Amino acid sequence: MNIIMQPIGYIKSEFKEKKELPRQSILNTDKKAIIEILPEYVEGIEGIVENDYGIILFNFHKSTKSPLRIIPHGRDHMTGVFSTRSPNRPNGIGMSIVKFTKVDGNKLEFEGVDMLDGTPVLDIKPYSSKLNPK
């Protein structure tokens, strides 16, 4: 089975190389970036407002596939790739929790940047740290 996804937009970030990236989005709240949503998906961002938190799903477009067991950064032993934040994964899907700081047309500015400039965005989902059963 093949799964084919198309980007809904692209990241505009000051980070041009992987070595510049912070380890996690929540550790980088002093930097901002922009998602430029493609015209055919602009209606889909209706309802996202300033100070909302969201989950950005994206493609690690500059990473390579890796073995399923690796020695992650900061550790000295092998572990499964699914227990790490390594960008080198079988499907190259990344996830970051961000805070939207501005919505302007097809542009979503956010803080919590851990993505390279040009990163393809696959989806955006709302985020809440509280369970909200209805």
Side-chain angles (χ1 to χ4, degrees):
M1 169 195 279
N2 287 331
I3 299 171
I4 299 170
M5 290 188 255
Q6 299 297 318
I8 63 166
Y10 293 89
I11 301 292
K12 299 295 179 194
S13 159
E14 71 180 69
F15 301 114
K16 309 300 183 202
E17 296 182 39
K18 288 194 284 186
K19 65 183 179 185
E20 301 172 334
L21 291 172
R23 291 273 167 229
Q24 291 188 37
S25 61
I26 59 172
L27 301 176
N28 194 33
T29 58
D30 61 330
K31 303 279 184 181
K32 293 185 181 176
I34 293 172
I35 303 172
E36 287 189 0
I37 301 294
L38 296 173
E40 60 268 35
Y41 298 106
V42 171
E43 287 181 10
I45 65 172
E46 183 178 329
I48 297 175
V49 296
E50 187 176 313
N51 295 317
D52 275 356
Y53 284 84
I55 299 168
I56 300 173
L57 298 170
F58 56 92
N59 176 252
F60 285 118
H61 67 297
K62 298 282 185 167
S63 294
T64 58
K65 289 187 180 184
S66 70
L68 293 177
R69 291 179 42 82
I70 61 172
I71 300 175
H73 176 78
R75 295 191 200 163
D76 61 359
H77 62 280
M78 295 286 279
T79 188
V81 70
F82 301 130
S83 69
T84 74
R85 293 189 53 83
S86 171
N88 300 316
R89 315 181 73 77
N91 287 312
I93 297 172
M95 181 197 89
S96 294
I97 298 169
V98 303
K99 181 178 181 181
F100 295 107
T101 55
K102 186 176 180 182
V103 179
D104 184 18
N106 73 323
K107 294 179 176 71
L108 297 172
E109 182 185 75
F110 65 94
E111 61 185 36
V113 184
D114 63 351
M115 297 151 243
L116 291 171
D117 187 58
T119 295
V121 176
L122 303 173
D123 203 356
I124 301 168
K125 298 183 179 293
Y127 173 81
S128 173
S129 62
K130 298 177 184 174
L131 292 176
N132 189 13
K134 293 190 178 197

